[in-house]
Amino acid sequence: MQSSTIHETARGRPARAGDSRRAILAAAADAFASAGQAGARMDAIADAAGVNKALLYYYFKSKESLFQAVVEDHFEAFNRDAVQLLAGPGPARSVLLRYASLHFDFICSRLRYAGLYQQLMSYGGKPLDSLVKKYFLPRSRALDKLLERGMKTGEFRKADRMNTAVSIASLIVFYFSSAPVMRLIRPGDPYSPASLKRR
């Protein structure tokens, strides 16, 4: 077998398609988190994943499509649990608190990649449009229904639901995006287990 064969690793050993794709996504997530979309190099990602460059381009036609796949991988994992939780039974107030904890804990478990979402928002364009339709909209609709239910039962005060949803997201996400500033304002690591527990 030759190492250039499309379904082999860089070392010439046969690889399962799913394993190769997962290895590429993991290596790409690290590369994009460290160097940003512009600075990440496809040959370095292929090397880190243990695959040849031809295999990387077989799965992902460009660096842009690889970046989108990395972010989508994260969104898919979160949405699976979040939408189910938001649409589930129980008092709206309890469901909302569980959702906020789920969202916060999800980011905590992927701290290295928190910047990927900011990169996505900055670049915009078709990748963002596609991911919003596929992931943000279903989650937004589920949260909107929960807020509406809570307002009808009197658990939440009546308010504009869109602005309420934005405020909820901000309470969770802003902590992570402002971490570099917090490090300058006061000593300590905002990402340490103790800091995250306090938050």
Side-chain angles (χ1 to χ4, degrees), residues 165-181:
V166 169
S167 295
I168 291 166
S170 300
L171 283 169
I172 300 160
V173 175
F174 182 73
Y175 181 83
F176 299 99
S177 60
S178 63
V181 175

Side-chain angles (χ1 to χ4, degrees), residues 19-197:
D19 291 344
S20 295
R21 191 176 189 280
R22 278 191 291 276
I24 292 167
L25 286 172
D30 285 343
F32 290 134
S34 310
Q37 186 176 350
R41 290 170 45 240
M42 293 292 268
D43 53 348
I45 292 170
D47 191 51
V51 302
N52 59 48
K53 204 170 174 181
L55 181 60
L56 190 152
Y57 279 107
Y58 173 78
Y59 285 118
F60 307 100
K61 305 304 178 196
S62 65
K63 185 160 65 168
E64 291 71 26
S65 67
L66 177 56
F67 179 78
Q68 182 175 343
V70 166
V71 178
E72 183 164 2
D73 196 48
H74 288 251
F75 284 159
E76 185 178 24
F78 177 60
N79 257 46
R80 205 170 32 243
D81 294 334
V83 173
Q84 184 178 358
L85 172 61
L86 288 166
R93 190 173 184 166
S94 300
V95 173
L96 183 59
L97 286 171
R98 289 203 309 274
Y99 170 73
S101 293
L102 174 73
H103 197 173
F104 188 84
D105 291 344
F106 184 85
I107 299 173
C108 285
S109 69
R110 291 162 172 77
L111 284 174
R112 183 158 162 65
Y113 310 126
L116 293 176
Y117 315 130
Q118 290 176 315
Q119 289 179 47
L120 176 71
M121 301 300 176
S122 299
Y123 285 112
K126 285 184 180 177
L128 179 60
D129 186 56
S130 169
L131 291 169
V132 164
K133 286 176 182 169
K134 194 169 180 182
Y135 298 104
F136 283 64
L137 274 178
R139 183 159 31 107
S140 178
R141 288 181 186 127
L143 178 57
D144 186 68
K145 285 181 182 175
L146 178 72
L147 294 173
E148 183 180 28
R149 176 160 72 87
M151 288 176 195
K152 281 181 179 174
T153 60
E155 293 177 80
F156 307 143
R157 68 178 179 83
K158 294 200 183 302
D160 179 272
R161 296 198 302 272
M162 180 66 177
N163 277 304
T164 302
V166 169
S167 295
I168 291 166
S170 300
L171 283 169
I172 300 160
V173 175
F174 182 73
Y175 181 83
F176 299 99
S177 60
S178 63
V181 175
M182 287 192 284
R183 287 190 181 100
L184 298 173
I185 293 173
R186 59 186 294 184
D189 181 7
Y191 286 171
S192 73
S195 296
L196 292 171
K197 187 176 179 182

